[in-house]
Each structure stands twice: as structure tokens, then as C-alpha cells.
Amino acid sequence: VCTAASASAFAPQPAFKVSTALNNGKGAGGMFDTRDPETMDHEDPRKSISAAPSFEEYLKSRGGDAAAAAPAAEAPAAAAPAPAAAAPAEPAAEGGFTYGEYDEVMWDNAAKIDVYNKWDPSTPRSTRNFNPFETWEGNSPDASGIYPGENRYKDPIRPDISYAIMLEEKAEAEERNASPKAGSEPGCAGCRS
């Protein structure tokens, strides 16, 4: 039985015919190439290709102005130096939900220390009242106190980091852990865990 199975491994394989035809605009998956600028009406509307709008029509449909967009595209903007300390932005309200004070702003150690200093462990946890250094399942929260995998999590704007900065932050974290805020025990109202 073993010899029959091993012999089939060396048997000639059937030749497969590789088609080099363009298939009249159809790709390998049977779908039409959407890069084809010509429109196509098919009895099945799912297979039809409609005419694409011009760039100006696209901008108008989005509420933009094509005339204003054209000069901006012609002149490349010079790279402005990043501000040393960005001011906290106004939070974006989304259906009654308010993002954190540093949403869409650099979420660096100075911002985290500011949020930590404002954090009240006895008050229920919210997007404006959380410990930015608290981890949950090995993850750190975003600028609104939301962890990866949770609804409304946003990847924060992170700064460049170096080994020297990491050592400074480690020393600051050890100092903070040596004298934690009063009432910040696990399970307190302002904690995730």
C-alpha cells in the first residue's frame, strides 16, 4: 500500500492550459476590469459598469470646490515644523459621545501626565477621567481611555521615541508607581479593572 501511494507522487501531472487571452475585459475571477473607461450596460445590473464622474463632479458631490482644490494641488506645501507642545483640541461629539481632551493631538508622555494629574480615581471612569498608564490585557488606552478592540478606539498620534526618552519615561513611571494616587487601587471607580 505504501509503494502505491509513493509511486503516484512521481507520476506525470496533467498539463493545464494557461490562457493568455484578454477575455474581452473579464479578469480571472470573471469580473470586468473597472479600469476600463468605457461604460457597459448588462441585463444583470451587478455586471454593468457606469461612467465614472469627473474629478470636479466628484468634489461637488462631496461638497468641495474643484477650483479651490486645483491650486492647492499645483503648489506643494512646505513642511512646517511640528509645534513643541500642541494645545488640547476640542473633542469631537459623535451621537452624544465625547472624545478625550487629547483626541487628534500628539499623545505623548507629557499629555499622558496631564491626563493622569486630572484623573480622579473616586469618580467613574470616562473619556475625560481615566488613568492613561493603566493597561488592560497588555494594551494601553488611546487619548480617550478606550482600549484596542473596543468600540470607538482611535489609534493615537504618537511621537518619535528614542532609547534615551524611553529611559526617562521608565524612571518617571517607577516614581509614579512608588507613590500612586490615593484611591487608585484596582477596582476603584476610575479604573478599568
Side-chain angles (χ1 to χ4, degrees):
V1 176
C2 269
T3 56
S6 62
S8 65
F10 298 105
Q13 299 295 320
F16 292 101
K17 182 179 175 188
V18 178
S19 173
T20 57
L22 295 176
N23 295 325
N24 295 328
K26 278 189 183 178
M31 300 297 292
F32 281 90
D33 188 356
T34 57
R35 293 174 290 177
D36 189 351
E38 295 182 19
T39 62
M40 186 201 79
D41 291 322
H42 193 275
E43 60 189 40
D44 184 355
R46 295 175 295 170
K47 295 181 181 178
S48 295
I49 300 174
S50 61
S54 68
F55 183 67
E56 290 80 16
E57 291 170 343
Y58 168 74
L59 285 178
K60 286 179 186 175
S61 71
R62 303 235 3 192
D65 184 14
E74 293 171 6
E90 279 298 311
E94 181 184 297
F97 179 82
T98 305
Y99 283 98
E101 181 180 356
Y102 286 92
D103 183 53
E104 302 294 332
V105 181
M106 184 66 69
W107 186 233
D108 57 1
N109 200 49
K112 291 177 184 180
I113 291 171
D114 182 46
V115 170
Y116 179 78
N117 289 336
K118 294 175 184 175
W119 173 54
D120 179 9
S122 62
T123 305
R125 193 174 191 283
S126 70
T127 59
R128 296 299 183 105
N129 186 56
F130 66 96
N131 180 355
F133 300 106
E134 180 183 27
T135 59
W136 180 60
E137 294 183 358
N139 294 306
S140 295
D142 68 2
S144 300
I146 302 168
Y147 291 90
E150 292 182 322
N151 191 21
R152 294 192 174 101
Y153 171 79
K154 286 179 155 183
D155 196 23
I157 300 171
R158 294 184 175 96
D160 289 335
I161 196 82
S162 68
Y163 185 70
I165 293 172
M166 289 171 62
L167 289 176
E168 290 172 16
E169 290 179 1
K170 179 183 176 190
E172 185 271 323
E174 288 171 350
E175 185 179 313
R176 183 180 55 252
N177 291 338
S179 58
K181 278 192 171 187
S184 64
E185 303 82 27
C188 70
C191 291
R192 167 82 172 141
S193 54

